[in-house]
Amino acid sequence: MPERLAIDGGTPVRRRLLPYSHQQIDIRDIAAVVEVLRSEWLTTGPAVESYEKRFAEFVGAKHAVAVSSGTAALHAAAFTAGIGPGDDVVTSPITFAATANCVLYCGGRPVFADIQPDTGNFDPAALECFIAPQTKAILAVDFAGQPADHEEIRDLAARRGLTVIEDAAHALGAQYKSRKVGALARMTAFSTHPVKPITTGEGGVITTDEDALAQRLRAFRNHGICRDATARAREGDWFYEMNELGFNYRLPDILCAIGKSQLEKAETWRERRAAIAAHYDEALSNIPAIAPLTQHSDRVSAWHLYVIQLRLERLRVDRKNVFRALRAEGIGVNVHYIPVYWHPYYQELGYKRGQCPIAEAFYERALTLPLWAGMTDEDANDVITAVNKVITAYRSDH
Ligand SMILES: *Cc1c(COP(=O)(O)O)cnc(C)c1O
């Protein structure tokens, strides 16, 4: 007889819910903030440049531009790539809505291309049929922290004259064929929301190797304003010009200081998440109703998320029941992601259900298990115990 589940009145594996992700803040982060608070500058002072320099070094890019969120980073990248009315941008449906929203902000149209069922990333073989004469860019997502097939994407983009933007909100510290994410696409957008690999509370970064793009990105985050030294010498020191319709997307010094301090720990944290993921892989490999995502050997994942696919044909319940049962056991499982075009806003724009069947099937089976650097071995073992307990109870041969 399987053990009685907490959802049916049994004893939960944990009393307190283990969240699926959680930030790590230490005394060095706190000291870095206090130092800025005691200084002359609260925003757009020396901490911005210092964070950007360190971030660029970390990913191996020439420039890093800090902005107020990952969404702002994507918006700045789409704007700077020249996306406008009449332009299509091909992107993934298995992502957070912000990935596609940034195209809409610019007046462009997101086109959703289907994914690979075992990684959640773009299917490079299917990508080309979504490209039309009006396509201007490919916006690739590194789902769960594993880089997409960037070589195939880059070759296709070169052949069709497209810009590649990468949504690397999950992928800080990831590598593709020994190259760090951040130095692969023309522009790469990161997020530093608290659930992401490092945090600044809210925040984002765009990396690029191109000087001209970096300059435009910096102007865009500050209302599109340029402060040209020659013009100031000619006109007077108050002089500035607004050349493009930018936004206030600045990231204050207070937050840049946390970001720089967090970066020092990013690789250690990534290794810790990778170790927990390896432990999950091994422990879950003998549960036939579960399949972890495929990891390619030429890539290093940032392990932002540990996503499994439920083999529903081996279960007598659907994902919703498994989800509820695990929550009742004290395991903060989550689901990444509802296909973007299923959201009512996108449905009203005319996107149809059924257009990316693999992504939709992926969503119906997807479940995210807790994974973050501050988890203890005991926490990870609780997850494994609870998954075993719930799957055993719901196996279709009982
Ligand atoms: C978190 C996230 C974003 C948005 O980042 P914010 O910092 O929350 O604005 C965009 N894309 C993906 C894939 C994300 O996970």
Side-chain angles (χ1 to χ4, degrees):
M1 270 296 287
E3 222 182 317
R4 185 138 149 243
L5 299 181
I7 200 164
D8 299 326
T11 311
V13 172
R14 293 174 67 94
R15 280 183 183 285
R16 272 188 61 211
L17 191 80
L18 177 71
Y20 87 92
S21 186
H22 197 275
Q23 73 274 15
Q24 300 276 98
I25 298 290
D26 67 13
I27 51 167
R28 282 169 296 175
D29 301 324
I30 294 166
V33 172
V34 171
E35 196 184 319
V36 171
L37 289 174
R38 292 186 191 284
S39 80
E40 192 53 34
W41 300 89
L42 298 185
T43 193
T44 320
V48 179
E49 222 181 290
S50 168
Y51 173 47
E52 290 180 341
K53 190 162 170 280
R54 187 70 197 86
F55 199 103
E57 278 166 15
F58 185 80
V59 304
K62 191 166 176 199
H63 302 282
V65 179
V67 291
S68 53
S69 69
T71 305
L74 287 164
H75 186 191
F79 176 87
T80 308
I83 307 303
D87 296 332
D88 279 4
V89 176
V90 177
T91 194
S92 169
I94 296 298
T95 184
F96 184 56
T99 313
N101 291 351
C102 75
V103 178
L104 295 177
Y105 296 160
C106 296
R109 188 174 73 111
V111 172
F112 298 99
D114 217 341
I115 59 156
Q116 294 165 321
D118 62 331
T119 64
N121 275 329
F122 265 156
D123 179 356
L127 208 50
E128 187 147 20
C129 65
F130 293 92
I131 292 170
Q134 69 273 20
T135 307
K136 190 130 184 189
I138 299 175
L139 209 180
V141 179
D142 300 321
F143 180 72
Q146 178 173 223
D149 293 294
H150 286 285
E151 219 158 71
E152 288 84 348
I153 293 169
R154 197 183 52 206
D155 290 349
L156 174 62
R159 214 160 1 96
R160 305 292 295 259
L162 311 172
T163 287
V164 181
I165 303 169
E166 187 174 346
D167 181 341
H170 299 180
L172 180 67
Q175 291 179 35
Y176 176 86
K177 300 191 174 173
S178 303
R179 282 177 68 193
K180 280 266 185 83
V181 163
L184 297 167
R186 193 159 179 231
M187 283 178 275
T188 307
F190 296 90
S191 164
T192 52
H193 179 277
V195 300
K196 305 293 161 75
I198 66 164
T199 191
T200 57
E202 295 282 357
V205 175
I206 313 105
T207 58
T208 182
D209 281 338
E210 295 176 41
D211 300 347
L213 287 182
Q215 198 181 348
R216 278 192 75 201
L217 290 165
R218 291 207 162 87
F220 185 75
R221 76 167 167 202
N222 190 33
H223 310 280
I225 286 173
C226 268
R227 288 178 188 277
D228 175 55
T230 354
R232 270 166 112 172
R234 187 182 65 233
E235 304 287 338
D237 221 23
W238 71 85
F239 191 77
Y240 63 84
E241 277 178 324
M242 191 201 112
N243 302 307
E244 299 192 284
L245 188 61
F247 288 77
N248 176 356
Y249 280 162
R250 298 184 300 261
L251 190 69
D253 276 50
I254 302 165
L255 301 184
C256 288
I258 308 179
K260 191 180 172 207
S261 174
Q262 290 259 309
L263 266 180
E264 303 310 321
K265 294 156 281 201
E267 185 50 27
T268 315
W269 288 342
R270 196 203 62 76
E271 284 165 11
R272 173 65 185 152
R273 291 192 302 270
I276 297 167
H279 184 44
Y280 282 166
D281 279 346
E282 211 208 305
L284 302 178
S285 65
N286 45 28
I287 308 180
I290 281 177
L293 298 185
T294 301
Q295 300 296 319
H296 291 289
S297 57
D298 59 357
R299 283 155 236 203
V300 175
S301 179
W303 286 112
H304 165 52
L305 301 173
Y306 190 90
V307 175
I308 57 171
Q309 285 276 293
L310 298 174
R311 294 206 170 107
L312 295 177
E313 65 283 5
R314 291 172 182 267
L315 297 170
R316 53 188 178 77
V317 297
D318 63 8
R319 190 260 316 275
K320 186 169 63 200
N321 294 83
V322 176
F323 179 95
R324 285 183 180 154
L326 281 166
R327 281 281 177 99
E329 298 296 341
I331 306 301
V333 284
N334 214 322
V335 173
H336 295 91
Y337 285 97
I338 301 165
V340 173
Y341 61 81
W342 279 19
H343 289 297
Y345 187 84
Y346 280 85
Q347 290 286 297
E348 266 180 42
L349 290 178
Y351 292 87
K352 296 278 177 279
R353 280 187 182 233
Q355 66 184 71
C356 295
I358 299 171
E360 295 182 8
F362 182 91
Y363 162 65
E364 302 284 6
R365 291 163 176 74
L367 198 63
T368 302
L369 304 183
L371 179 62
W372 40 285
M375 275 174 68
T376 63
D377 291 347
E378 250 173 49
D379 293 333
N381 286 331
D382 284 347
V383 174
I384 292 162
T385 303
V387 169
N388 263 308
K389 184 178 169 187
V390 168
I391 296 295
T392 303
Y394 287 154
R395 256 169 32 194
S396 47
D397 53 331
H398 276 296

